[in-house]
Amino acid sequence: MTATSPIKRVLLLFAMEAEANPLISKLSLKKDDPQMVSGPAPCVTYSGIVGDLQVHVAWNGKCAVNSVDNVGTVPASLTAYLTIQALDPDLVISAGTAGGFKAQGAAIGDTFVGTSVVNHDRRIPIPGFDKYGIGELQSPPTPGLQTALGFKSGVISSGNSLDYTDKCLEIMGSHKAAVKEMEAAAIAWVCNLYSKPLICVKSITDIVDGGRPSHEEFLENLSTAAVALQTAVPRVLEFVSGKTMADL
Ligand code: SAH
């Protein structure tokens, strides 16, 4: 895949089953049998044809010990690495729910497309490692997609906690993060290893700088946000179908 060849095969990565399921139903995707990735990696994969696109969805599977979804950067990078290796997609999309910063124009229910990713919980104050820790990676420009679909855009910051420390807030503020979640920077790192283009599409479930605890707002708005993704992601697929990365 180069910037000048048309997009035909898309890999959509989600952390949680509740985020992925509405889209899987809407696109009538079928659970892969056998699974695209054989164990012990816990990710779960679905595939199907949508218009002219081959579409594949993976979510991170459940934690066998705690019976909850494997959220966070470690499972996200494992799923991304193995599914990209198995599929050789033309485009990877990291989709899911996220917190939004009202200071950067975010409101609950918004859909954001990432312009770059950073990490806010990898603080290593040693020359060289400090920048490595932030791990800033630019996303491919998608001005046409953003305008056509009416999505907001901004910097996405990832970390392994649903809450945050003062230091996390300071780092997110200094990078003008609009979106806070737990996977995108890890997936971007893997996509960079494979030289695969990544678009991040995030639906806002909670406002980080809004005064209410993230977990309360997140649980209240998770199903609404998953339904918003059920609408937003097919529009993204329709828009990218047959286009080149340079057309986006
Ligand atoms: N308590 C939830 C667990 C969700 S963890 C449950 O039981 O279902 C949060 C997931 O949503 C992660 O995959 C993360 O990417 C995303 N997320 C949503 N809002 C977030 C926020 N404010 N901060 C970090 N991650 C957030």
mmCIF file of all heavy atoms in Angstrom, residues 42 60 70-80 160:
data_model
loop_
_atom_site.group_PDB
_atom_site.id
_atom_site.type_symbol
_atom_site.label_atom_id
_atom_site.label_comp_id
_atom_site.label_asym_id
_atom_site.label_seq_id
_atom_site.Cartn_x
_atom_site.Cartn_y
_atom_site.Cartn_z
ATOM 1 N N PRO A 42 -5.616 -12.904 23.246
ATOM 2 C CA PRO A 42 -7.065 -13.014 23.508
ATOM 3 C C PRO A 42 -7.972 -12.230 22.561
ATOM 4 O O PRO A 42 -9.190 -12.241 22.745
ATOM 5 C CB PRO A 42 -7.191 -12.460 24.938
ATOM 6 C CG PRO A 42 -6.059 -11.497 25.063
ATOM 7 C CD PRO A 42 -4.937 -12.002 24.188
ATOM 8 N N ASN A 60 -10.110 -6.436 21.906
ATOM 9 C CA ASN A 60 -8.981 -7.019 22.632
ATOM 10 C C ASN A 60 -9.274 -8.263 23.461
ATOM 11 O O ASN A 60 -8.373 -8.790 24.107
ATOM 12 C CB ASN A 60 -8.337 -5.960 23.536
ATOM 13 C CG ASN A 60 -7.575 -4.930 22.726
ATOM 14 O OD1 ASN A 60 -7.193 -5.192 21.592
ATOM 15 N ND2 ASN A 60 -7.366 -3.760 23.299
ATOM 16 N N ASN A 70 -9.999 -6.333 27.894
ATOM 17 C CA ASN A 70 -8.577 -5.994 28.011
ATOM 18 C C ASN A 70 -8.322 -4.590 27.467
ATOM 19 O O ASN A 70 -7.807 -4.418 26.356
ATOM 20 C CB ASN A 70 -7.738 -6.993 27.219
ATOM 21 C CG ASN A 70 -7.652 -8.347 27.896
ATOM 22 O OD1 ASN A 70 -7.309 -8.439 29.072
ATOM 23 N ND2 ASN A 70 -7.965 -9.398 27.158
ATOM 24 N N VAL A 71 -8.663 -3.562 28.249
ATOM 25 C CA VAL A 71 -8.423 -2.189 27.806
ATOM 26 C C VAL A 71 -6.960 -1.819 28.086
ATOM 27 O O VAL A 71 -6.274 -2.505 28.841
ATOM 28 C CB VAL A 71 -9.385 -1.178 28.498
ATOM 29 C CG1 VAL A 71 -10.823 -1.528 28.191
ATOM 30 C CG2 VAL A 71 -9.138 -1.099 29.981
ATOM 31 N N GLY A 72 -6.506 -0.738 27.467
ATOM 32 C CA GLY A 72 -5.161 -0.235 27.747
ATOM 33 C C GLY A 72 -4.164 -0.565 26.640
ATOM 34 O O GLY A 72 -4.468 -1.274 25.679
ATOM 35 N N THR A 73 -2.956 -0.017 26.811
ATOM 36 C CA THR A 73 -1.981 -0.029 25.717
ATOM 37 C C THR A 73 -1.377 -1.407 25.435
ATOM 38 O O THR A 73 -1.057 -1.700 24.287
ATOM 39 C CB THR A 73 -0.828 0.953 26.012
ATOM 40 O OG1 THR A 73 -0.226 0.588 27.251
ATOM 41 C CG2 THR A 73 -1.309 2.387 26.089
ATOM 42 N N VAL A 74 -1.217 -2.230 26.475
ATOM 43 C CA VAL A 74 -0.510 -3.508 26.248
ATOM 44 C C VAL A 74 -1.329 -4.441 25.351
ATOM 45 O O VAL A 74 -0.837 -4.883 24.302
ATOM 46 C CB VAL A 74 -0.115 -4.160 27.598
ATOM 47 C CG1 VAL A 74 0.463 -5.542 27.379
ATOM 48 C CG2 VAL A 74 0.877 -3.279 28.332
ATOM 49 N N PRO A 75 -2.606 -4.744 25.708
ATOM 50 C CA PRO A 75 -3.405 -5.573 24.796
ATOM 51 C C PRO A 75 -3.595 -4.905 23.432
ATOM 52 O O PRO A 75 -3.615 -5.594 22.400
ATOM 53 C CB PRO A 75 -4.743 -5.724 25.517
ATOM 54 C CG PRO A 75 -4.464 -5.416 26.942
ATOM 55 C CD PRO A 75 -3.344 -4.435 26.949
ATOM 56 N N ALA A 76 -3.708 -3.568 23.413
ATOM 57 C CA ALA A 76 -3.919 -2.871 22.132
ATOM 58 C C ALA A 76 -2.736 -3.103 21.191
ATOM 59 O O ALA A 76 -2.931 -3.347 19.990
ATOM 60 C CB ALA A 76 -4.116 -1.373 22.368
ATOM 61 N N SER A 77 -1.518 -3.053 21.725
ATOM 62 C CA SER A 77 -0.371 -3.234 20.831
ATOM 63 C C SER A 77 -0.261 -4.690 20.391
ATOM 64 O O SER A 77 0.103 -4.962 19.241
ATOM 65 C CB SER A 77 0.927 -2.733 21.476
ATOM 66 O OG SER A 77 1.205 -3.469 22.615
ATOM 67 N N LEU A 78 -0.598 -5.615 21.276
ATOM 68 C CA LEU A 78 -0.551 -7.040 20.903
ATOM 69 C C LEU A 78 -1.551 -7.329 19.783
ATOM 70 O O LEU A 78 -1.214 -7.947 18.764
ATOM 71 C CB LEU A 78 -0.872 -7.896 22.138
ATOM 72 C CG LEU A 78 -0.790 -9.404 21.951
ATOM 73 C CD1 LEU A 78 0.645 -9.839 21.696
ATOM 74 C CD2 LEU A 78 -1.345 -10.123 23.184
ATOM 75 N N THR A 79 -2.793 -6.862 19.967
ATOM 76 C CA THR A 79 -3.823 -7.072 18.945
ATOM 77 C C THR A 79 -3.405 -6.422 17.628
ATOM 78 O O THR A 79 -3.518 -7.028 16.560
ATOM 79 C CB THR A 79 -5.166 -6.465 19.415
ATOM 80 O OG1 THR A 79 -5.540 -7.099 20.630
ATOM 81 C CG2 THR A 79 -6.258 -6.654 18.377
ATOM 82 N N ALA A 80 -2.915 -5.183 17.711
ATOM 83 C CA ALA A 80 -2.534 -4.473 16.488
ATOM 84 C C ALA A 80 -1.409 -5.227 15.773
ATOM 85 O O ALA A 80 -1.481 -5.459 14.562
ATOM 86 C CB ALA A 80 -2.098 -3.047 16.824
ATOM 87 N N ASN A 160 -2.603 4.561 30.671
ATOM 88 C CA ASN A 160 -3.239 3.328 31.150
ATOM 89 C C ASN A 160 -4.195 3.511 32.319
ATOM 90 O O ASN A 160 -4.511 2.539 32.999
ATOM 91 C CB ASN A 160 -2.163 2.290 31.472
ATOM 92 C CG ASN A 160 -1.743 1.569 30.207
ATOM 93 O OD1 ASN A 160 -2.564 0.895 29.582
ATOM 94 N ND2 ASN A 160 -0.510 1.743 29.795
#
